[in-house]
Amino acid sequence: MAQPPKAFQQVIDDFAFADRQERIEMLIEYADRFQEVPERIATRPFPEEHHVQKCESDAYVWAEDLPDGTLKFHFAVENPQGLSAKAWAVILDETLSGQPLEEVAAVPCDSVFTVFGKEVSMGKGMGLMGIADMVTAFARQRLAARKSPA
């Protein structure tokens, strides 16, 4: 069975050993790097099929097919206060975009709790796991399409 990409696992490991204050600082740094989905991918109003259900930050996820068969992930976070969703989007984009689909599909959604801490609220945790679920679902869909006859 495939393992998540090394870059993703490194970030998870970094958060696993961070104390609460370090975790907050790291998440703010990630959130500051958030880039809104480019207009060539999507414009408002965003299609509902890209909407992450149960996400308090009103997040959306897209997967762009790259020539090498990998995916580039794009995100929108409609809640301006959605720093956690923005940070998570940056982590997922920076560590999963351009990686083998088998490895992206192997990312466990509960890694949210390593990054954000066990004290993350149930609502926030469900939304963040929903973002990860959409990313891994895009990878699984592309893998299934490769295996099925055209």
Side-chain angles (χ1 to χ4, degrees), residues 5 7 12-13 15 18 28 34 40 54 57 59 62-63 71 76 90 93 96 100 110 114 117 123-124 129 135 143 150:
I12 297 304
D13 292 346
F15 276 97
I28 290 170
F34 181 77
R40 67 181 176 75
K54 300 178 183 162
S57 294
W62 291 265
L71 297 171
V90 170
D93 176 33
L96 303 181
D110 64 354
T114 303
K124 184 181 286 189
M129 285 191 296
V135 166
L143 286 168

Side-chain angles (χ1 to χ4, degrees), residues 7 21 44 59 71 79 81 85 94 103-104 108 113 115:
Q21 187 58 41
R44 287 179 183 83
L71 297 171
N79 181 345
Q81 306 298 303
E94 290 183 356
E103 293 180 14
V104 174
F113 297 105
V115 173

Side-chain angles (χ1 to χ4, degrees), residues 7-17 88 91 111-112 114-115:
F8 179 81
Q9 193 57 54
Q10 181 60 54
V11 169
I12 297 304
D13 292 346
D14 290 347
F15 276 97
F17 295 106
W88 189 230
I91 290 168
S111 53
V112 162
T114 303
V115 173

Side-chain angles (χ1 to χ4, degrees), residues 60-123:
Y60 293 79
V61 181
W62 291 265
E64 177 184 12
D65 292 295
L66 296 177
D68 65 0
T70 64
L71 297 171
K72 164 70 174 142
F73 297 101
H74 301 279
F75 303 87
V77 177
E78 296 296 88
N79 181 345
Q81 306 298 303
L83 294 180
S84 295
K86 289 177 180 179
W88 189 230
V90 170
I91 290 168
L92 295 176
D93 176 33
E94 290 183 356
T95 64
L96 303 181
S97 288
Q99 298 300 310
L101 298 180
E102 295 82 3
E103 293 180 14
V104 174
V107 168
C109 70
D110 64 354
S111 53
V112 162
F113 297 105
T114 303
V115 173
F116 292 90
K118 301 279 188 224
E119 65 275 0
V120 70
S121 72
M122 184 164 67

